[in-house]
Amino acid sequence: MLSLLTYAKTYKKELILGPFFKLLEAILELLLPLYMAKLIDEGIKSGDTQQTIKMAMMMLFMSLIGLVCVIICQYYAARASQGFGTELRHHLMKKINALSHSELDAYGTSTLITRMTNDINQLQLALAMLIRLVIRAPFLSIGSIIMAFYIDTTMGIIFIITIPIFSLILWVIMKKTVPLFKRVQQKIDALNETLKETLQGVRVIRSFSKQPQSEKVFDTVSDDLATSYQNVSNLSALLSPITGLIMNGAIVFILSAGSFQVNTGHLSSGEVVALINYMTQMLLALIVVSNLVVIFTKAFASATRVEEMLETQPDIVTTEKEIDDSWENTPLVSFNNVSFQYPLSRGYALKQINFQLKKGETLGIIGPTGSGKTTIAELINRSYDISNGEMTLNGIASFNYPTGKLRQHLGIVPQKSTLFSGTIKSNLLMGNPDATEEMCYSALELAQCLEFVTALPEKLDAPVLANGNNFSGGQKQRLCLARAIIKSPDLLLLDDSLSALDYQTDWLIRKQLRSVLPDMTTIIISQRLSSIKQADHILVLDNGKQVGLGTHDELMKSSDIYQQIAAAQDEKEVH
């Protein structure tokens, strides 16, 4: 957990001055009972009004100084903890973006969200408490014991006896709660996963009238989390009442023994009051310590999960070697006996794939569902690295191509159309931040979405809801295509990204791309024969195996599967 404090190094001043001002406040608080004793013994008991007022004013002045110290400490604690959380989230997000798809698949979206939010919030709280209370609470506890010995040795022993009793109880509860808090975080992950699936599949759930079953599943997961919280909270809640019982028992003992010593003249009435105040201070400090234990126990569990993410080494290691980044080499893309197996999968998703693609050529990829078409796009994008064989991009082995440089040359339109909340223009600028309005309109025209965009009152500034939910499926696909085109990529990957379009629009887009961007290399993955029929090369896949490679006419003669696909589709719709 301490290793994460490196993310708070820019707040060294706050980490030092915050506890310092809290220490000053604790010192003043320890002195107050002595002045209270003087007020009682030298003022009220002696009938000296002037001394009473003097001590009261001194106590008021010390309290005001203590208040100022507390305010300064609270400010530094808030500044440091929030800054620490911001820095940690930044590095965690940077790490998540550096992970390959295999690591992201292994973790899952729900746990990444929980670690980014709930876990870091726990660490922020722990750092704030570290600055505000970690020095103050032990100092008040130890200081109260010292002041008790200063007043009377016998009474000081009572203070000493209570510490090991409290420490034993604290250790037992900590030992029980740490594993439970880790389990609670896992239950939060499960709740987030269930909630995500329910929200994403709400249309499917409603279409099958499965709302009661969905609610039942969610209630089960929610109740499971509630039960885990109750178990750990019941144990943690024991700290405060047990601490109060021990300390109040000690106060009763002080009053009993103190009354005898007052009668014998060994203690004054003011000193007994001071001892009770010191015992109360130690009581409150130990209760704070017990609460800190709960906070730091949660933080320890959260720190373990965050550190696990930060220490994860990506499967795909990028390099910064000097390479020929012109994208003029031939072949531009080459697969030589490439095979690939997904992590934790028993079988190969792709087996012995071979093809070459020159600059300006178009490759069509077709095959039954689950045949490995999208996997080829993932490999070219280096979302995963190949398992066997050799894949070169621009004549460079994929393992040696820096992912950042590689993706600058790629324009990808994935199967699932994803738009981000903002405007149409902000989504287009993700492809090219320097694009002008003229370039935006040109990309929209190529993607066949100029007509519906210009019909909107705000045009390029038209709002886009999260996931583009205010646009139809076809409109989202075309906007995603425009976002890729505006990048002017050397290689355009269309991963079944025209499936929501009618045949005419599909044909117009392909025609425009061929005429306006003839030098752009294109890979079209599609279930439609019409979308790939005019491609320079067509790769046919079946169950991860390459079962055909050639032009449309060649495959119609040599590939049984291609012939079956052609026969299954209406030739009248094939352009």
Side-chain angles (χ1 to χ4, degrees), residues 398-447:
S398 60
F399 292 108
N400 296 326
Y401 214 122
T403 54
K405 288 186 176 180
L406 169 64
R407 290 164 187 167
Q408 289 175 4
H409 296 277
L410 303 182
I412 301 174
V413 187
Q415 275 183 315
K416 184 178 179 182
S417 303
T418 302
L419 296 175
F420 297 89
S421 56
T423 63
I424 291 176
K425 186 175 182 179
S426 68
N427 274 272
L428 292 177
L429 293 181
M430 289 184 68
N432 182 0
D434 300 322
T436 62
E437 283 200 7
E438 183 181 354
M439 294 170 67
C440 290
Y441 281 117
S442 177
L444 291 171
E445 185 177 7
L446 279 173

Side-chain angles (χ1 to χ4, degrees), residues 547-563:
V547 294
L549 179 64
T551 63
H552 171 73
D553 293 335
E554 291 170 347
L555 291 172
M556 285 298 291
K557 298 175 183 178
S558 61
S559 174
D560 292 338
I561 291 181
Y562 191 79
Q563 293 168 13

